[in-house]
Amino acid sequence: GAISKTAAGGEINVLDPGGFGGVTITKAITIRSDSIEAGVLVSGTSGIIINAPSTATVVLDGLDFEGLSNGTSVHGINILSARDVFVRNSSIRGFTSATSAGIMINGTTPLTVTVENCTLFNNTVGVAVVSASGPGAARVFNSQIVASSAVGIRVSGAGNTAAISGNSIFRTVKSLEILSGATIYSYQ
């Protein structure tokens, strides 16, 4: 309910712990939780869908995403449109359908997603950049991607990129997958 009452460019601060379900973001906004659990529990859908204007900045900070690990939850965060998305200090786990990703970047406009200090655990793909109309770019820093059943980071399609630094990727079938003219830059 808070998202409909928050102006574009505003901020939602989670004050009480709880499981809040999924949400669709259609404007620039910050959703932040400091030191309490702000859960996004979903089944059969994505935790957060971002379909904001191509000029919007969206910040997700301190959230706990959980798919039910029954193969029906789609993506932890499904990013369709925005200019910049920042995902910080968050945990994303249990998105295990055949095409699921903890973070899916499939934009219709150029967008950049920064993932910092996050844990992506037990997803089919940790982070996927597959924008057909992009280009899409992921920057993944100081994060852990653990037990992905397909791949830790997948980048597919010409013009799509990922820059990675300071991450731990382990217990995955593949750590990195680069397809169809995409690029991954690794630092340190």
Side-chain angles (χ1 to χ4, degrees), residues 15-16 40 45 50 59 72 91 93 99 110 121 124 154 160:
L15 301 176
D16 295 314
V40 180
T45 187
I50 299 173
V59 178
T72 65
S91 174
R93 65 186 172 283
T99 58
F121 175 74
T124 302
R154 172 182 290 151
N160 291 325

Side-chain angles (χ1 to χ4, degrees), residues 21-24 41-49 67 72-76 95 100:
V23 68
T24 298
L41 174 64
V42 294
S43 177
T45 187
S46 293
I48 291 182
I49 298 169
T72 65
S73 299
V74 184
H75 306 295
F95 293 89
S100 288

Side-chain angles (χ1 to χ4, degrees), residues 69-152:
S69 294
N70 59 7
T72 65
S73 299
V74 184
H75 306 295
I77 304 170
N78 188 7
I79 304 163
L80 304 173
S81 179
R83 183 187 66 214
D84 293 297
V85 176
F86 296 89
V87 183
R88 299 181 61 241
N89 308 313
S90 296
S91 174
I92 303 170
R93 65 186 172 283
F95 293 89
T96 59
S97 78
T99 58
S100 288
I103 299 173
M104 171 63 74
I105 302 162
N106 191 7
T108 56
T109 61
L111 67 98
T112 300
V113 178
T114 301
V115 179
E116 182 180 12
N117 196 33
C118 291
T119 300
L120 294 101
F121 175 74
N122 191 33
N123 301 296
T124 302
V125 176
V127 177
V129 184
V130 298
S131 296
S133 305
R139 300 181 295 188
V140 184
F141 305 126
N142 304 319
S143 295
Q144 295 77 43
I145 301 173
V146 183
S148 298
S149 62
V151 63

